[in-house]
Amino acid sequence: MTQKPVSMEELSAYVDGELAPGQAARIARIAASDPETARRVAILRSLRAGVAAIGEETARVDVEAIRGRMVRRRNARWLGAATAAAAVLALGLGLAGWQSMTPASPERGAAAGGVVSGDVARMVAAHDAWVAGAAPPAAAPPPDRLSALIGATGLRLVRSGRLPLADGRAAGQTDYLGAHGCRLSLFRAEDAAPRPARERLVVEIEGDLRLASWSAGRDYHLVSRGMDVPRFATIASALMAATRREGGDEGEPLALLSGAHRPCLG
Amino acid sequence: MPVFSTANWTMLRRVSPRLVGYAVALTHDPDLAGDLVQDAIVRAVESRNVPADERAFRAWITRILRNLWIDRCRARRRRADRAEAPAGEVADFPAGFRSEDLILNRIVVREAFGRLSASHREILALIDILGFSYGEAAELLGVRPGTVMSRVSRARRDLLRRLSDEGVVPFPAAARRMP
């Protein structure tokens, strides 16, 4: 009995594993008994292997090098955007000054896991403990004016606590949670700062850590991880303005904060 | 905000050699292919919607690269395509052809591949280099899987014809036939 010849299309699909099991079995049977079909199958498999090797033999792309360039470019872009956003905000609010965002300063950078040191390191650790679910449970206090301002950015007050500081003072900690996983902690020293108030807002970026510090009668620190940098800087700038305008009109910072809705990274 | 994760970078490292092969097939120029892959990676990393599944990721970044290439071709008003050999004139499997000849002549295969039409190079790159199924390739190209099956077959037939008719194929075999 003469077998129906196998077409090029069928053979091609056969070597690609694209035929239905019944069709593939038929071709396998034919190839087992017909040397010419077996030769054709072998040629197509070799041809496929030859084409598959083309890319790697002719050009290479260093993905790691591209990644390094992109990370550097992105960091530079964030730095510029955050600086611009916060500077515009500071100008709009008539603030005393704005210190551009920098990587964590050297005097604070060595200790506490290479990020920050002293009381600020305690605050970062307290924020991380809350994020990790390791902080002591505490009920959320009634919202105050700062909570209302932060709430305008989509972050909800969920917890408060008290953090002892190195010099015997303490700071109040309030933790905020966003709808998409953003987490932010605000630390307020309970007592007036023992030194002259810090004129400028300092925003520091170290990896995914975002840290902002300012003074308004007392010291304030804002901590987050992975938050969009312009958003973080906007929140920090608006909070500094609000804390320096006790009892004043908060329409301006509120309007600015209302636009600061961005998802967190990771 | 970009959401390209460490897992995405790992997938990218795995797929990049084959992506380069696909880019070479499209551009027929290793330098241009490298640039195209790099641009596709940049576009992918800046995307807000990155597939988590590896197969979907591979199809997604291939589509990005393909669209970039189409955009460039349009921008330059460039016609890279070459005339396809009429199917009727092609002998499927030239006599004397052996699979061993192809294994020994990878460079020759590469040269002949470069002389294929752009559409034949692309379909073979999608199937043989990137390892797409006919269904995946069909989705990317916007055609039916049966069309992909026909195109792959025609492209391979064209490649075999070029390897044979242009005298480049059976290198060792031809040498053995010489007096």
Side-chain angles (χ1 to χ4, degrees):
Chain A
M1 190 177 94
T2 309
Q3 282 181 318
K4 181 186 168 191
V6 183
S7 71
M8 174 69 169
E9 198 165 286
E10 274 184 300
L11 277 182
S12 182
Y14 173 71
V15 300
D16 288 332
E18 291 280 350
L19 291 183
Q23 286 176 285
R26 183 179 76 84
I27 291 174
R29 276 197 306 275
I30 294 172
S33 61
D34 175 24
E36 178 57 18
T37 303
R39 181 182 77 97
R40 293 178 175 206
V41 169
I43 286 172
L44 286 176
R45 287 203 166 121
S46 294
L47 198 63
R48 186 182 155 100
V51 173
I54 285 173
E56 294 177 55
E57 289 173 355
T58 51
R60 290 194 188 285
V61 166
D62 187 343
V63 173
E64 283 309 310
I66 295 172
R67 184 181 188 180
R69 279 198 299 275
M70 291 198 69
V71 168
R72 284 194 295 276
R73 196 184 313 157
R74 188 173 61 179
N75 285 345
R77 200 164 54 222
W78 279 1
L79 193 70
T83 302
V88 165
L89 184 60
L91 283 172
L93 297 174
L95 299 182
W98 156 255
Q99 178 168 319
S100 93
M101 186 172 64
T102 60
S105 53
E107 66 270 22
R108 301 168 80 180
V115 181
V116 290
S117 62
D119 287 338
V120 177
R122 289 171 190 240
M123 294 173 190
V124 172
H127 171 80
D128 288 343
W130 166 58
V131 171
D144 58 8
R145 54 189 287 271
L146 291 186
S147 300
L149 277 175
I150 295 174
T153 72
L155 293 162
R156 176 170 55 90
L157 176 62
V158 293
R159 183 183 173 281
S160 71
R162 188 168 182 272
L163 181 71
L165 302 179
D167 61 2
R169 295 185 302 146
Q173 174 182 353
T174 45
D175 300 320
Y176 301 84
L177 179 64
H180 303 292
C182 291
R183 289 165 187 267
L184 183 79
S185 294
L186 175 65
F187 295 88
R188 286 178 271 201
E190 291 182 346
D191 303 309
R195 58 185 180 282
R198 189 179 284 127
E199 283 294 319
R200 296 170 186 269
L201 171 66
V202 177
V203 179
E204 298 174 288
I205 306 299
E206 182 74 42
D208 68 341
L209 176 64
R210 284 84 172 101
L211 179 64
S213 306
W214 71 94
S215 295
R218 64 186 70 187
D219 287 341
Y220 290 82
H221 299 276
L222 197 62
V223 180
S224 184
R225 286 195 185 272
M227 182 177 282
D228 176 76
V229 173
R231 179 189 189 189
F232 181 80
T234 302
I235 293 172
S237 296
L239 288 179
M240 182 176 78
T243 53
R244 288 181 176 176
R245 289 182 175 190
E246 290 287 348
D249 176 20
E250 288 174 356
E252 228 172 344
L254 191 59
L256 288 159
L257 282 167
S258 297
H261 283 269
R262 298 287 295 274
C264 284
L265 304 174
Chain B
M1 183 53 54
V3 291
F4 214 78
S5 66
T6 303
N8 294 140
W9 281 107
T10 303
M11 287 192 272
L12 188 57
R13 270 194 297 276
R14 277 201 287 266
V15 77
S16 65
R18 288 185 288 176
L19 202 60
V20 170
Y22 176 60
V24 169
L26 286 182
T27 62
H28 197 200
D29 178 332
D31 293 334
L32 204 53
D35 291 345
L36 193 60
V37 171
Q38 179 161 320
D39 290 349
I41 291 174
V42 169
R43 183 76 61 94
V45 170
E46 290 177 344
S47 172
R48 290 173 184 272
N49 299 302
V50 185
D53 171 73
E54 185 146 5
R55 285 191 80 85
F57 179 88
R58 189 183 55 176
W60 172 74
I61 195 164
T62 302
R63 186 185 299 276
I64 290 175
L65 189 146
R66 186 170 190 269
N67 288 342
L68 279 173
W69 176 241
I70 289 170
D71 288 348
R72 287 184 189 183
C73 288
R74 283 181 183 149
R76 296 173 191 173
R77 300 180 180 281
R78 183 164 142 184
R79 291 292 302 170
D81 210 351
R82 293 163 187 258
E84 295 181 14
E89 297 175 5
V90 178
D92 283 356
F93 290 89
F97 227 91
R98 304 181 318 163
S99 58
E100 296 93 314
D101 295 332
L102 295 174
I103 294 167
L104 291 169
N105 284 287
R106 285 277 168 83
I107 296 172
V108 174
V109 172
R110 194 172 69 209
E111 292 300 313
F113 180 85
R115 283 191 285 275
L116 292 177
S117 69
S119 64
H120 281 176
R121 288 201 309 269
E122 178 173 28
I123 195 67
L124 289 184
L126 287 173
I127 304 301
D128 294 349
I129 297 175
L130 277 161
F132 278 21
S133 68
Y134 287 3
E136 288 171 324
E139 191 177 338
L140 182 81
L141 299 173
V143 299
R144 290 179 301 127
T147 304
V148 170
M149 184 170 164
S150 300
R151 282 189 192 173
V152 171
S153 167
R154 284 203 302 274
R156 284 182 177 148
R157 189 161 48 196
D158 193 12
L159 183 55
L160 283 172
R161 182 186 67 79
R162 287 174 191 276
L163 285 165
S164 175
D165 289 355
E166 295 174 18
V168 287
V169 169
F171 223 47
R176 280 195 296 273
R177 282 198 296 272
M178 288 175 70

